[in-house]
Amino acid sequence: LPTLPLPKKYTLCEVPTTRQSANKSTILLVDDNVTIHCLLTDLLHETYNIVAITDSERVVDMLHTGKYDLLISKTNMPVISGIGLTRTIKAETAISHIPCGLLASANRGEERNAALEAGADLYVAKPIEQDDLMKEIAVLLQYKKVQAYLNSR
């Protein structure tokens, strides 16, 4: 099964940036590891706008002030964990519609259950399978569009 290779176009100290396009969904990626930013940005940037940050404390404010279609966060972040972020986001009416995906360093049943109980829409354990992740993200975003359409009727 293929896993994510380290992209050649980024160095480990470089935070990748992508051009924003109005035609693409925007993903807020939260991870304190720049290598993961590079890996996921390299995988996702052609299909989605990616905004990558390392500070979990900024997430809720960014979700309130920006237009994000999906949050992807590492589960074990310093200060506020991905599970804590998910719980906060799902409790705030103004941003609770944003799907939350969590990346875990291992597939631990207890952590997975906690993530799902907090309201996570996606839980992915490393090693990340590229095709599976792309499909999961596409399904989440399509579901969000259908839900928005139904809510507008």
Side-chain angles (χ1 to χ4, degrees):
L1 298 173
T3 57
L4 293 174
L6 183 62
K8 292 179 177 67
K9 60 184 167 182
Y10 305 120
T11 63
L12 294 181
C13 60
E14 233 180 316
V15 176
T17 58
T18 60
R19 281 189 213 181
Q20 302 294 303
S21 167
N23 299 328
K24 296 180 184 180
S25 296
T26 301
I27 297 173
L28 178 57
L29 173 63
V30 187
D31 199 309
D32 57 340
N33 183 330
V34 176
T35 303
I36 299 301
H37 285 182
C38 294
L39 293 171
L40 291 175
T41 299
D42 191 57
L43 174 65
L44 301 170
H45 79 278
E46 299 220 3
T47 309
Y48 305 105
N49 295 319
I50 305 297
V51 177
I53 65 169
T54 58
D55 182 1
S56 60
E57 291 180 287
R58 295 176 44 210
V59 171
V60 174
D61 287 339
M62 289 180 72
L63 293 177
H64 278 290
T65 59
K67 184 189 175 305
Y68 298 97
D69 301 294
L70 173 63
L71 168 76
I72 297 178
S73 175
K74 187 168 86 171
T75 55
N76 58 337
M77 290 286 295
V79 186
I80 305 172
S81 71
I83 293 171
L85 280 173
T86 299
R87 191 175 290 112
T88 299
I89 291 163
K90 296 304 180 177
E92 292 195 27
T93 306
I95 57 175
S96 63
H97 64 282
I98 299 171
C100 298
L102 297 177
L103 302 177
S105 57
N107 194 4
R108 296 187 291 264
E110 188 175 299
E111 182 180 73
R112 184 177 191 282
N113 289 340
L116 296 174
E117 287 172 8
D121 300 284
L122 175 64
Y123 180 89
V124 178
K126 296 175 189 172
I128 299 168
E129 301 298 331
Q130 293 179 34
D131 292 339
D132 291 346
L133 182 61
M134 291 295 287
K135 288 175 191 170
E136 294 277 2
I137 290 171
V139 167
L140 271 178
L141 292 172
Q142 184 60 35
Y143 176 76
K144 181 183 174 203
K145 286 179 185 175
V146 169
Q147 198 173 32
Y149 171 76
L150 293 174
N151 289 339
S152 70
R153 299 183 85 204

